[in-house]
C-alpha cells in the first residue's frame, strides 16, 4: 500500500527566523548630509554674489574670486595633516569642531570690513572643510552595518548635491534681496543649529588606535587606493574644465543668458543620480563608476558637437546626461577608497579630498589657458581625453580599486 504523501509544508524543517534588516540611522545621516550642504554652500556661494562682494570690499571681481581659490587651497593644505594628527580623537567631537569652524568663518565673512580679513576667513573655512570631508565618509560607514554602507554614504553625500542644484541659486537670490553679508550670516546660523542637531543625533564613534601614525606613503601602497585616487583626479579635472567655464561654452551658442537654466538641469539630474546611486551602490559600485565616466564623456561629446554645429538645443540634453554622470561620483569614489583602504580609511579619504580639490584648482588654470589660446571648442575635447583615461583606469581596477561584485 503506497505511503500517503504529506503536504509540502509538513516536510519542511522550519529554520531560524530571519531577523529584519536594521533601519538606517536617518537623523544622524541627515545631519551629516546637512554638514555637506553647509560645506558646499560656503565654498560655492561667492560665485553667485561676486559683483556685490567685490564692490563692498573695494576690490575687482577677479580679486574677490580668489575667495574660492583660497577656500580650495585651505582644503588641500588641511585634509591630510589634520586628518593624520586627529586620527585618535573621538569622531563626534571632531565633527562638531569642524561644523563650529564653519559657523565662525562664515560669521567673520559676513561682518568683515576688509578684504584681507575676508580672505583669511575663507582660508579658515577651507581648512575645516578639508577635515570635515575626510570625516564624513568614515563616520557614515562606521554607524551602519556592512551591507548598508553604500546607502549610508549616499544619504550623507546628498546634501552637497542639493547645495549645488538648489542651494547656491537660492542663496544668490536671497543675496539679491538681503545682501551678500546676510546670506553668509544665514549660513553661519545654520551651522550653529547643525552643531546642536549633531550633538543630539550622532552616536559616539571612537578614533582608530594607531591611525594617526599611518604614513601617507603606506596608505598609497594599499592595493586599490592609488587606482581610486587616479580616477578621482582625472574625473574631477574633466568635470571642472567644463563646469568652471560653462558660461564660456554657452556663449558661442547664443545661450550665455541661459547659464542658470543649464546649471539647474545639471543639478536636478544630479539629484536623480544620487538617488540611483544610493539604491545600487552596495552591489554595483564598479558598474556605476564606469557608467559615470561614460555618461560624462557622452555629455562632453554632445557639447563638442553642438559647438561645431553652432546649435544650442543639444546642450540641454548634454546637461541632463552630465548630471546623471556626475551626481553620484563623490559617493562612488569615497566608497571605493574606503573599501580599498580598510582601517586607514580616514587617511585615504583625506588623500581623496586633496585630489578632488587639486582637480578643481588645476581645472581653473588649465581651462583658462585652453580658453585663451584654443577657444571654447578645446574644452570638451580635453575633457574627453581625461575621461578616457579615467575609464581605462576604472576598467583596469577589476581586482583592486573597483572590483566586480555579486
Amino acid at each position: 500500500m503506497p505511503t500517503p504523501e504529506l503536504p509540502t509544508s509538513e516536510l519542511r524543517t522550519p529554520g531560524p527566523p530571519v531577523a529584519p534588516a536594521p533601519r538606517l540611522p536617518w537623523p544622524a545621516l541627515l545631519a551629516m548630509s546637512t554638514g555637506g550642504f553647509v560645506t558646499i554652500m560656503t565654498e560655492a556661494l561667492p560665485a553667485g554674489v561676486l559683483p556685490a562682494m567685490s564692490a563692498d570690499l573695494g576690490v575687482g571681481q577677479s580679486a574677490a574670486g580668489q575667495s574660492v581659490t583660497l577656500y580650495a587651497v585651505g582644503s588641500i593644505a588641511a585634509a591630510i595633516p589634520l586628518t593624520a594628527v586627529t586620527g585618535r580623537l573621538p569622531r563626534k567631537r571632531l565633527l562638531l569642531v569642524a561644523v563650529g569652524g564653519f559657523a565662525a568663518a562664515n560669521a567673520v565673512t559676513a561682518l568683515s570690513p576688509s578684504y584681507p580679513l575676508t580672505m583669511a576667513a575663507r582660508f579658515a573655512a577651507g581648512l575645516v572643510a578639508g577635515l570635515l570631508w575626510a570625516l564624513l565618509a568614515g563616520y557614515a560607514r562606521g554607524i551602519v552595518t556592512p551591507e548598508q554602507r553604500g546607502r549610508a554614504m549616499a544619504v550623507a553625500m546628498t546634501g552637497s548635491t542639493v547645495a549645488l542644484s538648489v542651494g547656491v541659486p537660492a542663496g544668490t537670490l536671497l543675496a539679491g534681496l538681503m545682501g551678500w553679508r546676510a546670506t553668509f550670516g544665514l549660513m553661519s546660523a545654520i551651522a550653529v543649529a547643525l552643531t546642536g542637531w549633531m550633538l543630539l543625533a550622532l552616536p559616539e564613534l571612537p578614533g582608530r588606535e594607531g591611525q594617526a601614525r599611518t604614513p601617507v606613503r603606506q596608505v598609497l601602497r594599499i592595493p586599490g587606493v592609488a587606482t581610486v585616487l587616479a580616477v578621482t583626479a582625472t574625473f574631477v579635472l574633466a568635470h571642472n574644465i567644463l563646469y568652471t567655464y560653462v558660461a564660456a561654452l554657452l556663449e558661442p551658442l547664443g545661450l550665455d543668458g541661459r547659464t542658470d537654466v543649464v546649471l539647474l538641469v545639471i543639478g536636478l539630474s544630479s539629484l536623480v543620480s544620487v538617488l540611483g546611486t544610493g539604491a545600487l551602490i552596495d552591489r554595483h559600485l564598479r558598474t556605476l563608476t564606469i557608467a559615470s565616466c561614460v555618461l560624462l564623456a557622452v555629455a562632453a561629446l554632445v557639447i563638442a558637437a553642438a559647438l561645431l554645429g553652432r546649435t544650442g538645443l543639444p546642450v540641454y540634453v548634454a546637461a541632463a546626461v552630465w548630471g546623471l554622470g556626475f551626481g553620484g561620483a563623490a559617493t562612488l569614489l569615497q566608497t571605493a577608497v574606503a573599501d580599498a583602504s580598510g582601517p586607514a580609511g580616514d587617511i585615504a579619504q583625506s588623500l581623496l579630498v586633496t585630489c578632488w580639490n587639486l582637480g578643481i584648482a588645476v581645472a581653473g588654470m588649465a581651462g583658462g589657458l585652453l580658453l585663451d589660446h584654443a577657444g571654447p571648442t578645446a574644452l570638451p575635447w580635453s575633457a574627453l581625453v581625461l575621461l578616457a583615461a579615467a575609464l581605462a583606469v576604472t576598467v583596469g581596477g577589476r581586482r583592486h580599486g573597483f572590483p566586480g561584485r555579486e
Side-chain angles (χ1 to χ4, degrees), residues 393-406:
V393 176
T394 303
V395 171
R398 174 176 291 278
R399 186 172 181 183
H400 299 295
F402 300 96
R405 299 185 180 187
E406 293 298 329

Side-chain angles (χ1 to χ4, degrees), residues 271-355:
L271 288 176
V272 175
S273 177
V274 169
L275 294 174
T277 299
L280 300 172
I281 187 172
D282 287 311
R283 290 172 58 86
H284 302 291
L285 184 144
R286 175 180 172 82
T287 302
L288 289 172
T289 307
I290 291 173
S292 289
C293 294
V294 171
L295 287 169
L296 192 53
V298 169
L301 187 59
V302 172
I303 293 172
L307 287 169
L308 290 175
R310 298 291 175 174
T311 175
L313 188 59
V315 171
Y316 294 101
V317 177
V321 176
W322 184 346
L324 289 175
F326 181 74
T331 302
L332 293 168
L333 295 168
Q334 287 184 295
T335 300
V337 82
D339 287 347
S341 58
D346 283 356
I347 298 294
Q349 293 293 341
S350 70
L351 288 168
L352 187 139
V353 170
T354 301
C355 286

Side-chain angles (χ1 to χ4, degrees), residues 4-361:
E5 294 186 2
L6 295 174
T8 305
S9 60
E10 295 183 23
L11 293 174
R12 291 178 182 155
T13 302
V18 178
R23 297 182 63 185
L24 287 174
W26 285 102
L29 293 175
L30 290 175
M32 291 185 222
S33 181
T34 306
F37 176 86
V38 170
T39 306
I40 294 299
M41 284 292 292
T42 302
E43 176 184 359
L45 192 55
V49 300
L50 209 56
M53 189 177 184
S54 63
D56 201 3
L57 294 173
V59 297
Q61 289 194 37
S62 60
Q66 298 312 304
S67 61
V68 177
T69 303
L70 279 173
Y71 184 100
V73 170
S75 295
I76 293 169
I80 296 173
L82 280 185
T83 303
V85 168
T86 59
R88 294 183 179 181
L89 297 180
R91 306 289 90 182
K92 181 174 180 177
R93 186 186 310 167
L94 205 54
L95 196 56
L96 289 171
V97 169
V99 175
F102 276 112
N106 282 324
V108 172
T109 302
L111 299 172
S112 170
S114 70
Y115 177 75
L117 181 57
T118 301
M119 294 301 104
R122 294 292 298 170
F123 180 77
L127 291 177
V128 293
L131 178 61
L132 185 141
W133 279 127
L135 284 172
L136 276 185
Y139 212 130
R141 290 167 61 88
I143 62 175
V144 297
T145 61
E147 62 272 12
Q148 293 176 320
R149 287 173 178 169
R151 281 173 290 163
M153 280 277 293
V155 174
M157 294 298 110
T158 301
S160 59
T161 305
V162 173
L164 287 173
S165 60
V166 180
V168 173
T172 304
L173 177 63
L174 182 63
L177 298 174
M178 301 176 58
W180 70 273
R181 292 182 182 275
T183 307
F184 276 99
L186 177 61
M187 294 311 303
S188 178
I190 291 173
V192 171
L194 180 58
T195 56
W197 182 4
M198 286 183 166
L199 191 63
L200 296 174
L202 293 184
E204 296 290 344
L205 192 68
R208 289 172 177 168
E209 188 65 27
Q211 182 171 297
R213 296 189 300 270
T214 306
V216 169
R217 62 181 179 275
Q218 183 176 329
V219 177
L220 287 171
R221 293 193 191 107
I222 298 174
V225 169
T227 299
V228 179
L229 296 179
V231 173
T232 300
T234 49
F235 185 91
V236 173
L237 179 55
H239 164 76
N240 280 281
I241 278 179
L242 298 175
Y243 194 86
T244 304
Y245 296 99
V246 64
L249 289 170
L250 297 177
E251 187 175 358
L253 303 174
L255 297 175
D256 42 315
R258 293 288 186 174
T259 303
D260 54 347
V261 178
V262 172
L263 292 178
L264 181 62
V265 172
I266 294 172
L268 294 177
S269 183
S270 294
L271 288 176
V272 175
S273 177
V274 169
L275 294 174
T277 299
L280 300 172
I281 187 172
D282 287 311
R283 290 172 58 86
H284 302 291
L285 184 144
R286 175 180 172 82
T287 302
L288 289 172
T289 307
I290 291 173
S292 289
C293 294
V294 171
L295 287 169
L296 192 53
V298 169
L301 187 59
V302 172
I303 293 172
L307 287 169
L308 290 175
R310 298 291 175 174
T311 175
L313 188 59
V315 171
Y316 294 101
V317 177
V321 176
W322 184 346
L324 289 175
F326 181 74
T331 302
L332 293 168
L333 295 168
Q334 287 184 295
T335 300
V337 82
D339 287 347
S341 58
D346 283 356
I347 298 294
Q349 293 293 341
S350 70
L351 288 168
L352 187 139
V353 170
T354 301
C355 286
W356 191 286
N357 282 283
L358 279 172
I360 294 173

